[in-house]
Amino acid sequence: MSEKHIYKIVFINREEVYELYAESIYQGDMYGFVIVEGFVFGEKSAIVVDPSEEKLRAEFEGVKRSFIPMHEIIRIDQVEKRGNAKIVSTDQATKSTGNVSSLYAPKKR
């Protein structure tokens, strides 16, 4: 029986740090991108426990495959069980974990 893997991927998206869980992460044919498939979220309930996870669920609803630029990825871990998906501003991430930066950041207008 094959063991089912789950991955935690942490990356920067629009000046926010996303932490998501997925069943499959690999490098695709498109150079410079990592492909993420099979997003895993908690059970949907009538009571919203974590609005951040609900926002992520809504953003990735119907997404079969996501192509994330390699230079935006902070970390990918293989984990035993799913945690809470969340969004943190880069300001909060910098305060709590040290330095979080992107190689490319579009200029604010």
Side-chain angles (χ1 to χ4, degrees):
M1 185 193 297
S2 66
E3 182 180 326
K4 189 166 183 159
H5 299 288
I6 189 166
Y7 299 92
K8 177 174 81 170
I9 180 167
V10 181
F11 63 98
I12 297 174
N13 183 36
R14 295 186 214 121
E15 298 183 17
E16 295 180 314
V17 177
Y18 280 38
E19 185 175 305
L20 292 172
Y21 293 84
E23 295 173 349
S24 178
I25 296 176
Y26 58 95
Q27 182 175 342
D29 295 335
M30 197 165 28
Y31 183 74
F33 288 85
V34 171
I35 299 173
V36 180
E37 295 180 335
F39 295 102
V40 180
F41 296 102
E43 296 297 318
K44 199 170 187 176
S45 66
I47 301 171
V48 177
V49 177
D50 186 357
S52 178
E53 184 165 358
E54 290 301 316
K55 181 179 175 184
L56 284 168
R57 182 193 309 269
E59 183 173 340
F60 289 96
E61 185 175 24
V63 174
K64 179 179 177 183
R65 181 177 297 136
S66 188
F67 297 81
I68 300 173
M70 281 185 190
H71 63 274
E72 296 295 344
I73 295 174
I74 297 170
R75 184 178 181 143
I76 299 173
D77 295 322
Q78 183 179 351
V79 296
E80 291 183 12
K81 61 182 181 175
R82 184 194 71 82
N84 292 329
K86 58 186 167 187
I87 301 172
V88 178
S89 73
T90 51
D91 293 338
Q92 289 175 336
T94 302
K95 288 176 187 173
S96 64
T97 61
N99 294 326
V100 175
S101 61
S102 174
L103 294 177
Y104 168 77
K107 292 183 179 179
K108 293 181 183 179
R109 294 183 183 201

